[in-house]
Each structure stands twice: as C-alpha cells, then as structure tokens.
Amino acid sequence: MPALRVVFAGTPDFAASSLRALLQSRHRVVGVYTQPDRPAGRGRRLTPSPVKALALEQGLDVHQPATLKDADAQKTLAALNADVMVVVAYGLLLPRAVLDLPRLGCVNVHASLLPRWRGAAPIHRAIEAGDAETGVSIMQMDAGLDTGAVLAEARTPITATTTAGELHNALADLGAETLATTLDAIAEGRASATPQPEEGVTYAAKLSKAEAELDFTRPAAELAARIRAFNPWPVAWCTLGGNDDARLRLLMANAEEVTGTALPPGTLLPPDADALRIACGDNGDEVLRVTQAQLPGGKALAVSELLNAQSPRLAEGSRLGRHAKGATP
C-alpha cells in the first residue's frame, strides 16, 4: 500500500485525536495547519491550540494563516505537494482553489451521521434532540457546508446519561480510527464516496450561552436532554427564586415516569435521596429529576451531597426559574 503525503488542518482536542492517529499510521504528515494562538486562562496569555501543541511535540511544520483565501497562503500550501488534505474542526473555510490543490482532494471528519446535523455543533444538537444514536462521517469535501459525498461512517449509541463531553471524547476516538482506515482505502484505490441523500438534512446551529437558561414549562424529557447536551458547556441553569444573580447550574437529569403533581412549573417537590425533583411541563404535571448540580459559589456536586447541606434555597416548595420572581430565594 503506498503511503500518502498528508496535510492536516485542525484546531481543538477533537482534531488532535485524528492527527495522533495519522502519526501512528503509515502515511506521512507533511504539514499542519491550525488557528492562530488565542488568549486563554486567567492571565489571558496567548496559548497554542491542542493540534499545534501536538504538532510541535512531533517536530512537524506548523502554519497558522488568518485566511486561506489569499494567493500567498495558497502558494505555501501548494508547495507541500500533498496527496490529500485532512480537515477536522479547523475553523477556517476552504475556498474552491484550496479544495482542488491536493491530488486526491480534501477529506473531512464530521461528528454526525450526515446529512443529519450538518454545521457547527452536531454533538450537542444530537443529544438535545433526543437521538438514540450518532456517529462520525468521513466526507470528501466540496464547496457546501458539510454537503460532500461520504466515504465512510461509524456509529455509536446515545444513552439516557450521555453528556456532550462524554460523546465528544467517544466520537474523537471513533473519528480518528475511521479516518485511518479510510485513508488506507484511498491509498489502495478502493475507496468510494456515496452522495448524501436529499432527505433527512438537519443543521446544528452554534451553541449560545443565552439558550442554556431552562424554561420549566417545557416537557421533562426535553429539559433532561438539554441539560446533558449543555454539559460541560455552556451548562444549563435557572435562577433561584427569580434572582438573576443567584443561578443554579444543572449538570445531569432525567425525566421521572410518574406524573400527576400539577404544581406551578419550577416548584421543588419532595426530593429523592439523590435527586431534586422539579415540577415542569406546560401544566406542571411532569417531573424533572436532577442528580448533579452546582449552587452559586460552590462546586458541582451530586445532589445527595447538596441535600445534606440543607440549603434553604433548595427546600421543598421553593420555586426555580424566572417565573418565580418575587418568591423567596
């Protein structure tokens, strides 16, 4: 099997997993592209991306152009004479001229089963939507947003306790493994790409902090899925007693099957030994069970530990959310 000359383009931890897999393969990484260093941490010091850190550790040439649209950047890329360019969560759009540069084109690792969840946040949106499974797609890139033909895919389940952080890590490993076998198939001339179907297309919009505030008039299953989808970022939250400065962060939850409480949405019901129980739904007749949470100024804890602290803000009958404004926090 011939070895391919590969240019790799990626930025976050998710992409670093694929780069690590390429470095362990027979293919040769001849250059790495990543986003420019960004301020991070309390001191806001310029910090290299995880992909850059790994590339430097391996002695690879690193390129950090602000854009790939100008002629100088494209000339530099062309000089690497790559057979294929692998793109994983790079963060820059690739113009047509760049897509056409490598002899075998550009290949992308996308964290969904395309055409479902094209776009910026496929991992989070799959959990939020209540999908039972997701996966990775290895795609031959074209000029559209995640519209290219699919070379390979691999699937994994989403359970009732899967968080976005856990799914991210699982898909990073699955994507790296699938990428490596797909490049082998490309090198041997046995890879074939299947156009994405016209039906079943959905878009995964970028997450925002604003959408992490919970509305307890929504169904319990929807709220539980949103809590897991937003863990570890931006983290679902609600106000305590309607006070904007007092926020309860919610990290793990499920919907209770028993219903019939019919109390105002956001009302704290008698707790379990290990869960806060919150009335929710349009009529307050559903129950959301929260098993991990974080009080203002505190650490994220199992709810059993929070209940042991006997915080008056979590007392039975208190109300959570903005509709509780005027209630005692």
Side-chain angles (χ1 to χ4, degrees), residues 157-171:
I158 299 176
T159 74
T161 61
T162 301
T163 65
E166 293 166 347
L167 188 56
H168 169 279
N169 294 341
L171 292 180

Side-chain angles (χ1 to χ4, degrees), residues 37-61:
D37 297 359
R38 307 287 191 206
R42 290 186 177 179
R44 307 301 294 161
R45 296 176 57 184
L46 283 179
T47 303
S49 73
V51 163
K52 180 179 178 180
L54 175 59
L56 293 178
E57 178 185 306
Q58 297 296 320
L60 299 171
D61 291 334

Side-chain angles (χ1 to χ4, degrees), residues 29 100 113 122 135 140 173 195 248 255 273 279 311 322-324:
V29 179
D100 292 339
L113 300 172
Q140 188 79 55
D173 292 343
L248 179 68
S311 170
R322 290 187 184 278
H323 51 270

Side-chain angles (χ1 to χ4, degrees), residues 72-290:
D72 286 343
Q74 292 173 16
K75 185 177 179 182
T76 300
L77 180 58
L80 295 173
N81 193 29
D83 293 312
V84 63
M85 184 171 182
V86 171
V87 182
V88 188
Y90 178 31
L92 281 185
L93 292 175
L94 271 56
R96 181 82 258 174
V98 169
L99 293 173
D100 292 339
L101 272 179
R103 179 175 64 87
L104 298 170
C106 298
V107 170
N108 175 246
V109 179
H110 186 76
S112 82
L113 300 172
L114 292 169
R116 189 163 176 78
W117 303 127
R118 294 173 178 169
I123 295 173
H124 309 80
R125 298 304 180 193
I127 296 175
E128 184 183 20
D131 291 1
E133 71 168 359
T134 185
V136 291
S137 300
I138 311 299
M139 177 182 60
Q140 188 79 55
M141 295 179 71
D142 62 16
L145 175 64
D146 301 329
T147 55
V150 174
L151 291 155
E153 68 173 24
R155 296 169 179 260
T156 191
I158 299 176
T159 74
T161 61
T162 301
T163 65
E166 293 166 347
L167 188 56
H168 169 279
N169 294 341
L171 292 180
D173 292 343
L174 193 60
E177 178 184 330
T178 310
L179 171 66
T181 58
T182 303
L183 285 186
D184 288 349
I186 291 173
E188 294 170 359
R190 54 183 174 80
S192 64
T194 303
Q196 294 183 34
E198 298 288 335
E199 296 183 355
V201 174
T202 59
Y203 289 92
K206 186 177 180 180
L207 297 183
S208 72
K209 288 185 178 179
E211 63 182 312
E213 182 179 6
L214 296 181
D215 174 1
F216 290 110
T217 65
R218 304 303 304 168
E222 177 184 312
L223 293 170
R226 178 165 289 202
I227 287 168
R228 292 186 291 107
F230 292 174
N231 178 357
W233 194 90
V235 180
W237 61 274
C238 64
T239 61
L240 288 162
N243 182 352
D244 281 345
D245 295 326
R247 295 183 176 185
L248 179 68
R249 290 154 59 93
L250 310 173
L251 296 126
M252 180 57 71
N254 63 281
E256 186 171 297
E257 294 185 3
V258 178
T259 60
T261 51
L263 289 174
T267 301
L268 283 168
L269 304 169
D272 288 343
D274 59 358
L276 290 174
R277 299 172 64 245
I278 305 169
C280 61
D282 189 40
N283 298 313
D285 56 358
E286 297 186 39
V287 178
L288 178 70
R289 293 180 74 257
V290 177

Side-chain angles (χ1 to χ4, degrees), residues 268-321:
L268 283 168
L269 304 169
D272 288 343
D274 59 358
L276 290 174
R277 299 172 64 245
I278 305 169
C280 61
D282 189 40
N283 298 313
D285 56 358
E286 297 186 39
V287 178
L288 178 70
R289 293 180 74 257
V290 177
T291 55
Q292 188 178 12
Q294 183 177 11
L295 283 166
K299 297 188 298 184
L301 294 171
V303 164
S304 56
E305 297 180 71
L306 288 179
L307 293 175
N308 287 338
Q310 298 185 330
S311 170
R313 292 179 290 187
L314 300 180
E316 178 184 344
S318 298
R319 289 189 65 188
L320 305 174

